[in-house]
Amino acid sequence: MLNSVFLLVLVLAALMAASFVFARRKAKATVVAAGEGAGLIFHSQPGYYGWLAGIVSGLAALMALVAGANLSLNPWMTLTLMMVVGLAGSYFAASRVSAEFRARTYVEFFIKTLLVTCSLIAVFTTVGIILSLVFESFRFFQEVSFLDFLTGLQWSPQTAMRSDQVGQSGAFGAIPVFTGTFLIMAIAIVVAAPIGLLIAIYLSEYAEKRTRKIVKPVIEILAGVPTVVYGFFALMTVGPAIRALAETMGFSVPTQSAITAGLVMGIMIIPFVSSLSDDVINAVPQSMRDGSYALGATKSETMTKVVFAGALPGIIGALLLAVSRAIGETMIVVLAAGRAANLTGNPFEAVTTVTVQIVALLTGDQEFDSAKTLAAFALGLMLFIITLVLNFIALIIVRRYRARYE
Amino acid sequence: MSKIDSEISKIKFTCKDVRVAYSGKEALHGINMAIDDRGVTAFIGPSGCGKSSFLRVFNRMNDTIAGCTVTGEVYMDGQDIYAPSLDPVLLRARVGMVFQKPNPFPKSIYDNVAYGPRIHGLASNKAELDHIVEKSLQRAGLWEEVKDRLKDSGTGLSGGQQQRLVIARAIAVSPEVILMDEPASALDPIATARLEELIEELSQKYCIVIVTHSMAQAARISQRTAFFHMGDLVEYGLTTNIFTNPADPRTQDYITGRTG
Ligand SMILES: Nc1ncnc2c1ncn2[C@@H]1O[C@H](COP(=O)(O)OP(=O)(O)OP(=O)(O)O)[C@@H](O)[C@H]1O
Ligand SMILES: [Mg+2]
């Protein structure tokens, strides 16, 4: 299978390359034959005639491949068909070489079409995802009232599965789930904002060039650690450590708790905060600092009163981006936060988050149109809307901030 | 100002063999010069000759440039401003600077002017601060235009207004000296004329050193002119002498527009 794919690609490439060379040579020869200075009256450079021939033969061969597959020809027949059709395409393109033929226009049209197609793929995927979220959520809200979902204080979707049990109605009040998400997010931001900011200030204002060159990439490695590793670290190291610490002080904390998940998530988003803020602080023009120094301000006065004040909107934007990242984060909370939908503001209890619940709802045995699974779409939609709004606000702030210095 | 007047006027700065180097590459090769206390001293010379570098010697702004070293001696009122015991931060409160491009902080007009007085604790209450801000804006000739919108952002003013704002900001800390590096280069002729009026007025109270590319401007506003060329001080004297009777052929060429 792999071999035949490889062979196909090889044949296609060879075909296109041959067409390219053939047509370009023909175009060059035509120019030479037309005599001195004829290159100027040719619409396109010889290379474009070559590219066009390559593209035409490639497309023709691809069509032959599709046709072959549809007619269920055997592989060798398909291959032969591809060669024949491809060569015919190449011959056709080469036969059109003439001064008036607008090869460049066609090549550019083809390239443009290719580019547009690529971006359309991304756009349609996004639209498709949003539509499916909206559609499935809509089905969910036919079974569970929207108001109950938004304002309900109890989340226990598991009971809805067992139609033979009492309490089968299940409770889909999303408030405890969102409380958990926001609690963990708040802890994360309390950890990441000061540390990330101080790192950014150190890097941009105080660090020597050499130190900066080493420290910045090292911090950015933090951003490259897979989140499952963070989750693992939270569950195996941070959670037990917090529990042990709490025990020495005489109270008990579960291994899985909001504080564990929040702390580790905070560490995870430190590089976002520090590197975005660093960019923002660097964008404050040197002339602002000079103006402050020239008035007899010290470095720290300049830093806090001019640079930081000037960069503040951008820093807020950076924090919002970090927050929206924290909200959507899954692996850390799955491993470290727990699944119990406690409605609590106490960071030392186990809580659950939107992402954890989505995972819980969709793993295991499923019927895909029960309220339980549909609830995942509703949660996903809410999450999507929240992060969208956050990103939107952050972008507006950052853009306005940029405009300020331009 | 006559020659006699300027000779009896006090000396503010004395420079002895001042050299400025960037990463070891010397940009100024031993400048000896004395600058008058009152009045306007103009620095002229072709681009890259070291005028800005020399100007930054007087408030030690060269210290903030990585790789920049200054050697030699500079005295301000007889005090060595490069002495290890001297804090450049305090020096800069006494020697203000206005940059080529107006650089108001992204704060309100009021806060821009109040910035210096606040960090140096020059006002003990809000009323005093208000007074300093108003007085500074008045002296900079901007008060009438902005008195009703002191809360607006300083960056929202026009270029000429911004330049007067940063001048107000500089005089709000009551410096003894104001250094200006091509302050009119971003201004239209009308704003330039206003700025020159302002400089003339300020020169009654302050020692003003100004870098300019405009010969006419130097001739109009300064009492003394220094001509720099490739890191050397070629000629220094009364502006009237420099422009009517330059001693050095390089000066002659420059002011008649044959070089630079
Ligand atoms: N920050 C710096 N780093 C390195 N070299 C510098 C720096 N600033 C100035 N120089 C060099 O020092 C020399 C003098 O520069 P300076 O800016 O003082 O000239 P200038 O007379 O003010 O010129 P202009 O009229 O163009 O402003 C130039 O050769 C310049 O390249
Ligand atoms: Mg300069």
Side-chain angles (χ1 to χ4, degrees), chain A residues 287 292-293 295-296 305 404, chain B residues 89 92 103-104 106-107 115 120:
Chain A
S287 66
S292 173
Y293 289 136
L295 285 166
K305 298 205 167 80
R404 190 173 190 172
Chain B
V89 166
R92 291 187 200 126
N103 56 348
K107 300 170 179 287
Y115 183 80
H120 297 298

Side-chain angles (χ1 to χ4, degrees), chain A residues 282-305:
Chain A
N282 272 324
V284 174
Q286 181 62 29
S287 66
M288 294 294 128
R289 298 177 177 86
D290 288 345
S292 173
Y293 289 136
L295 285 166
T298 62
K299 189 158 195 170
S300 59
E301 282 163 347
T302 303
M303 189 58 227
T304 50
K305 298 205 167 80

Side-chain angles (χ1 to χ4, degrees), chain B residues 2 7 11 60 79 93 109 123 128 138 250:
Chain B
S2 75
E7 273 175 356
I11 299 289
R60 293 190 56 175
Q79 186 190 11
I109 294 169
E128 263 181 60
Q138 267 168 356
R250 287 172 292 178

Side-chain angles (χ1 to χ4, degrees), chain A residues 296-298, chain B residues 59-60 63 79-94:
Chain A
T298 62
Chain B
N59 64 346
R60 293 190 56 175
D63 294 17
Q79 186 190 11
D80 181 2
I81 62 171
Y82 280 83
S85 61
L86 185 129
D87 185 353
V89 166
L90 296 179
L91 172 73
R92 291 187 200 126
R94 295 168 62 196

